[in-house]
């Protein structure tokens, strides 16, 4: 009775597990189908299944064959000795059980269990099998063995996985068989039976010999592994590896194969001593040939003349690393220009567009301001702020952009009902765009796009579809097109509701409702009367869910929003990576990477589109062969989106880390570590931190126009002066090109921490900072922005003032540093004019003053913009409790409205 109940419980548990797995697979299939990627789903699923099934069958057959032979090999007689009592009590019952049907069932179960473990382990690395069968050539052979890089990246991981898995299985079977034979076969039989043939000896001989053959295979693969690992001061095979370890490994391969043959023949002939001799010979050879000989070569031939011995291999390492990290084509540009001797006024005039786009707003302060001023309701959140660029007519402007996402966790406790979380509060609304350096009189950002409903200052950022159903915070499943409608946005004292008009998600039929209710363990999906057959369920709707479609890619940590064609899109960078590129230095577990894929996600419909941004990358070519229909050429991306492609920060940081060491191409300089660079530090608030790469607008040497670039300065290791700046281009046909500006050795260029020290030592600035900090406020020092300008470096650091009890920072001062001079003024242009000695300087001709945005300040539209500005000012003062300034703003607004009425009457 008890057995029957246990069996019933086991059946129920298995059924529930299978049901849960089946529902998970079905749910994923419906999600893939809603995106039009059915083929991708089946490829991912069947690859895992086929790999697991084949591995299971092969290893099950191996274990089962060994257990079958083990059963047949056990002797059927007993030799009586002094251990007879022990035999009768312990061994004899075990032999009877092992030889019975129960024992055979038990060993079959063990075979299945062991095979399942190996199948699960190897099926998790299904992409290794895919890349092995769909490999494409790199066209770059390694300089030592002549193998193409594709062998190391696509083939070698497969061979290593196969060798290690088979070796583990043979060792496991050898241990099991040895233990069983030792305990269940008579010791006297074994002792006397060595001199004659027996199935036991054949079995053990086969396993030991097979293990030695696998060891020979391991030695063979280790030859190639020398080119993908680091042994000394650089990555890849060095002199000792090529002239000692590789020959030693070849010798060990032969010895291992001979030892395998010797073991097999000796055991069959009943001789144990040759077996021990063969195995011992391999162990001694491994110590002498594989260990002592390379050590002697390194100690007595290499170290006394290390550079001359290693020079050729260091050059291999430099060339391979620069290629593997995409640094092979870095172009040097000259830092010395004709502008270096020009007057300050001429420098400002020639670089006015660059200067007008210097970023003052730091990400953290402006995010706080957005959440205070543009959040509008507690359940909205600006999760992240990004930098992008837009063209407003003829003006090319760098802007800050963030989307207003809905965060259900910020709903009040009473509002967190099932209906609200699943049916009503389904999406965020709109975005905020502001220039990177525009500031109101109160130290707040100006807005090019703001409020609910969205109010654009320019048509280029007009949003016709502002709903955010897919974003960074949309990690819950929701149901749209229900009877009760969805909360769209607040309007005064009431809320506006809408129904989803897109094609995202899965339409809910009654049967699908049942399956989803079971899958999400939420029966209200089935029971709710508000859900109809026209309703759609949206799930797996974060931008990061792109990894479900391409789990073999590495994705950037910072997707960014784009407002184009009246819609909001997300752009997410994806990378192909490898860890077996020969001679390439290893960083963060990889030694090859390319930003080969750009993923575009529609914030309303949730469409995921994968575009190949680097078709020269063989790895993305392999993935395209494996998953036809997933990847599209970049030429199919709309031009409006292509204008907003950015070089990714994550990749640039990795490349900068590598380039700081591998900008050196001379082997001797590299060997002596004479010219290593490092990423400098800056002060942020009261802390010191490593400078992050930042986007800026600048005109590169030899170019006619300013362009959007990602830039980072370098300093020498353990020194503070600037030595170079490194940049990646983002615009047009130059996208992805990298340049470096190296300062001449005889020129002193101030580094970031030297500039920070100059700021701290300036009496006027330091006294003002001290004064602010003593009056209930906190001074936040923003990012120190470095801009190459006229042969030198211009540094700009914003200062934010924040009340200690408030989370509303204000941009109150701008510090500028150039060629040893430092100034602090209320705004950027005042600081630049003072720094460069420009008398009566005027602001940039860019649309810094939004009152003049359309060159028609006296038109009705211009007056309306002024009214909007004054209205926002009044609201700012109202929130701050500054009633005097609030009254002034309202008075000005009233006068302006009277002027507008009069103008309309005239028109």
């Amino acid at each position: 009775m008890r057995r029957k109940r246990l069996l019933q419980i086991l059946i129920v548990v298995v059924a529930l597990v299978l049901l849960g797995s089946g529902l998970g697979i079905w749910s994923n299939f419906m999600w893939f189908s809603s995106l039009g990627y059915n083929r991708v789903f089946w490829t991912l699923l069947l690859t895992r299944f086929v790999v697991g099934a084949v591995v299971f069958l092969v290893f099950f057959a191996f274990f089962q064959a060994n257990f079958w032979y083990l059963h047949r090999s056990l002797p059927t007689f007993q030799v009586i000795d002094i251990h007879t009592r022990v035999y009768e009590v312990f061994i004899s019952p075990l032999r009877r059980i092992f030889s019975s049907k129960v024992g055979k069932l038990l060993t079959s179960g063990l075979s299945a269990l062991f095979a399942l473990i190996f199948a699960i382990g190897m099926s998790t690395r299904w992409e290794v099998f895919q890349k092995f069968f769909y490999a494409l050539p790199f066209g770059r052979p390694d300089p030592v063995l002549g193998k193409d890089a594709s062998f190391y990246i696509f083939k070698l991981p497969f061979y290593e996985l196969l060798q290690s898995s088979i070796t583990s299985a043979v060792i496991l079977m050898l241990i099991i068989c040895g233990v069983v034979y030792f305990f269940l076969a008579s010791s006297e039989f074994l002792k006397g039976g060595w001199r004659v043939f027996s199935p036991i000896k054949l079995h053990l001989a086969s396993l030991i010999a097979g293990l030695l053959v696998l060891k020979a295979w391991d030695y063979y693969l280790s030859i190639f592994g020398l080119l993908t690992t680091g042994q000394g001061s650089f990555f890849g095979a060095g002199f000792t590896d090529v002239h000692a370890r590789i020959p030693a490994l070849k010798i060990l391969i032969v010895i291992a194969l001979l030892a395998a043959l010797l073991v097999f023949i000796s055991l069959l002939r009943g001789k144990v001593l040759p077996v021990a001799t063969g195995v011992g010979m391999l162990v001694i050879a491994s110590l002498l040939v594989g260990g002592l000989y390379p050590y002697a070569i390194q100690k007595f031939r290499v170290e006394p003349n290390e550079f001359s011995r290693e020079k050729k291999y260091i050059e291999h390492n430099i060339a391979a690393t620069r290629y593997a990290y995409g640094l092979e084509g870095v172009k040097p540009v000259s830092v010395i220009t004709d502008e270096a001797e020009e007057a300050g006024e001429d420098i400002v005039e020639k670089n006015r567009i660059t200067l007008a786009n210097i970023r003052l707003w730091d990400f953290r302060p402006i995010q706080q301001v957005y959440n205070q001023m543009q959040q509008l309701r507690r359940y909205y959140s600006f999760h992240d702020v990004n930098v992008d660029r837009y063209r407003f007519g003829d003006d090319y402007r760098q802007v800050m952009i963030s989307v207003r996402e809905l965060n259900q966790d910020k709903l009040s406790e009473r509002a967190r009902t099932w209906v609200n979380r699943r049916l009503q509060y389904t999406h965020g609304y709109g975005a905020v765009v502001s220039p990177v350096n525009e500031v109101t009189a109160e130290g707040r950002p100006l807005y090019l796009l703001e409020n609910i409903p969205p109010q654009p200052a320019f048509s280029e950022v007009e949003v016709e579809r502002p709903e955010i159903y897919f974003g960074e915070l949309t990690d819950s499943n929701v149901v749209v097109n229900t009877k009760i409608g969805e909360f769209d946005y607040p309007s005064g004292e009431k809320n506006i509701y809408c129904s989803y008009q897109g094609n995202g998600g899965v339409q809910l039929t009654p049967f699908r409702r049942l399956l989803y209710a079971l899958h999400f363990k939420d029966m209200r999906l089935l029971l709710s009367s508000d859900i109809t057959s026209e309703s759609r369920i949206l799930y797996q709707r974060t931008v990061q869910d792109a990894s479900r479609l391409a789990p073999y890619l590495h994705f950037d940590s910072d997707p960014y929003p784009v407002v184009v064609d009246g819609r909001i899109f997300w752009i997410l960078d994806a990378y192909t990576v490898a860890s077996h590129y020969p001679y390439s230095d290893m960083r963060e577990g990889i030694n090859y990477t390319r930003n080969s894929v750009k993923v575009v996600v529609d914030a309303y419909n949730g469409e995921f589109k994968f575009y190949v941004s680097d078709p020269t990358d063989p790895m993305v070519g392999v993935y395209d062969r494996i998953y036809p229909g997933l990847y599209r050429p970049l030429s199919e991306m709309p031009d409006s989106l292509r204008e907003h492609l950015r070089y990714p920060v994550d990749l640039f940081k990795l490349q900068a880390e590598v380039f700081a060491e591998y900008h050196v191409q001379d082997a001797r300089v590299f060997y002596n570590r004479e010219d290593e660079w490092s990423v400098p530090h800056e002060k942020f608030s009261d802390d010191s931190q490593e400078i992050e790469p930042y986007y800026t607008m600048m005109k590169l040497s030899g170019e006619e126009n300013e362009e959007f670039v990602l830039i980072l300065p370098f300093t020498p290791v353990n020194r503070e002066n600037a030595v170079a700046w490194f940049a990646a281009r983002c615009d047009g046909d130059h996208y992805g090109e990298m340049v470096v500006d190296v300062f001449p050795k005889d020129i002193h260029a101030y580094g970031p921490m030297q500039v920070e020290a100059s700021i701290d030592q300036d009496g006027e600035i330091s006294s003002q900072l001290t004064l602010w900090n003593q009056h209930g406020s906190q001074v936040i020092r923003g990012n120190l922005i470095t801009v190459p300008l006229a042969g030198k470096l211009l540094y700009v650091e914003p200062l934010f003032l924040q009340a200690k009890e408030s989370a509303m920072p204000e941009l109150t001062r701008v510090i500028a540093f150039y060629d040893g001079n430092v100034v602090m003024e209320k705004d950027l242009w005042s600081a630049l004019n003072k720094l460069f000695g420009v008398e009566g300087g005027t602001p940039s001709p860019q649309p810094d003053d939004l009152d003049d945005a359309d060159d028609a300040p006296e038109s009705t539209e211009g007056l309306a913009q002024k009214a909007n500005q004054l209205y926002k000012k009044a609201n700012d003062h109202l929130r701050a409790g500054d009633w005097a300034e609030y009254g002034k703003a309202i008075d000005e607004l009233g006068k302006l409205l009277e002027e507008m009425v009069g103008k309309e009457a005239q028109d």
Side-chain angles (χ1 to χ4, degrees), residues 140-149 152 227 236-237 242 312-313 315-317 319-320 581-584:
R140 296 183 69 93
D142 78 77
V144 174
L145 302 173
K147 288 280 190 180
D148 188 79
Y152 294 91
L227 275 68
V242 174
K312 178 170 63 173
Y313 307 106
E315 291 172 347
H316 296 335
N317 170 234
Y581 195 90
Y583 272 102
S584 176

Side-chain angles (χ1 to χ4, degrees), residues 420-554:
N420 281 345
R421 294 175 66 91
R422 292 291 177 264
L423 308 184
Q424 284 204 322
Y425 288 90
T426 59
H427 59 275
Y429 199 88
V432 172
V433 178
S434 59
V436 293
N437 56 13
E438 295 295 327
V439 187
T440 67
E442 296 78 20
R444 310 282 166 70
L446 290 176
Y447 295 106
L448 304 178
L449 178 65
E450 61 178 328
N451 292 337
I452 294 178
Q455 297 174 353
F458 297 93
S459 60
E460 287 83 355
V461 289
E462 185 176 356
V463 183
E464 298 173 358
R465 182 59 77 183
E467 297 88 353
I468 311 293
Y469 284 91
F470 298 84
E472 294 185 87
L473 300 180
T474 50
D475 54 358
S476 60
N477 56 292
V478 297
V479 180
V480 296
N481 286 357
T482 62
K483 291 180 181 179
I484 62 174
E486 306 155 46
F487 167 74
D488 201 23
Y489 61 89
S491 179
E493 298 298 324
K494 63 178 183 177
N495 292 332
I496 305 300
Y497 292 86
C498 70
S499 291
Y500 182 67
Q501 303 298 316
N503 54 13
V506 179
Q507 190 166 348
L508 287 174
T509 62
F511 182 64
R512 289 175 182 174
R513 288 177 64 180
L514 171 62
L515 294 182
Y516 278 120
L518 293 172
H519 173 62
F520 291 116
K521 300 178 179 62
D522 186 356
M523 294 310 295
R524 284 168 290 193
L525 287 174
L526 179 64
L527 301 175
S528 175
S529 59
D530 295 318
I531 300 175
T532 71
S533 59
E534 298 299 317
S535 300
R536 306 179 74 87
I537 184 169
L538 309 181
Y539 57 101
Q540 293 174 186
R541 56 194 186 102
T542 65
V543 180
Q544 294 81 357
D545 280 316
S547 61
R548 297 177 183 272
L549 292 163
Y552 42 85
L553 296 177
H554 285 214

Side-chain angles (χ1 to χ4, degrees), residues 237-254:
F239 182 90
T240 300
D241 296 317
V242 174
H243 293 87
R245 288 194 176 90
I246 290 179
L249 287 169
K250 291 179 178 179
I251 293 172
L252 290 173
I253 291 171
V254 175

Side-chain angles (χ1 to χ4, degrees), residues 11 110 304 457 743 778:
I11 292 173
L110 284 175
F743 301 113
Q778 177 189 5

Side-chain angles (χ1 to χ4, degrees), residues 369-376 382 404 432 447 450-451:
V369 175
Y370 283 174
N371 278 313
Q372 288 289 325
M373 305 296 295
Q374 285 292 314
Q375 186 179 23
L376 304 181
F382 292 96
R404 188 183 291 103
V432 172
Y447 295 106
E450 61 178 328
N451 292 337

Side-chain angles (χ1 to χ4, degrees), residues 91-225:
I91 307 301
S92 182
L94 289 176
R95 286 189 59 181
R96 286 195 298 271
I97 294 173
F98 192 79
S99 302
S100 66
K101 291 183 178 180
V102 174
K104 293 178 180 179
L105 287 174
L106 178 63
T107 54
S108 296
L110 284 175
S111 297
L113 177 62
F114 294 151
L116 183 62
I117 292 172
F118 280 94
I120 292 174
M122 295 183 73
S123 64
T124 59
R125 300 190 61 187
W126 48 269
E127 79 282 357
V128 173
F129 292 81
Q130 285 183 327
K131 289 187 286 189
F132 177 82
F133 290 107
Y134 289 91
L136 288 174
F138 271 71
R140 296 183 69 93
D142 78 77
V144 174
L145 302 173
K147 288 280 190 180
D148 188 79
S150 62
F151 169 81
Y152 294 91
I153 291 178
F154 302 131
K155 303 288 186 179
L156 185 59
F158 174 79
Y159 294 137
E160 290 175 340
L161 177 62
L162 208 59
Q163 190 275 336
S164 63
S165 299
I166 296 175
T167 299
S168 298
V170 172
I171 291 174
L172 177 62
M173 203 64 242
L174 181 61
I175 293 173
I176 292 173
C177 291
V179 170
V180 171
Y181 286 139
F182 179 79
F183 284 105
L184 300 189
S186 170
S187 58
E188 283 297 320
F189 169 79
L190 288 174
K191 182 178 178 181
W194 283 119
R195 299 183 182 87
V196 296
F197 172 82
S198 77
I200 295 177
K201 289 185 292 184
L202 177 62
H203 194 185
L204 294 176
S206 300
L207 291 174
I208 296 173
L211 195 60
L212 290 171
V213 171
L214 288 169
K215 187 60 182 176
W217 190 14
D218 179 51
Y219 287 138
Y220 176 73
L221 296 178
S222 297
I223 294 175
F224 303 102

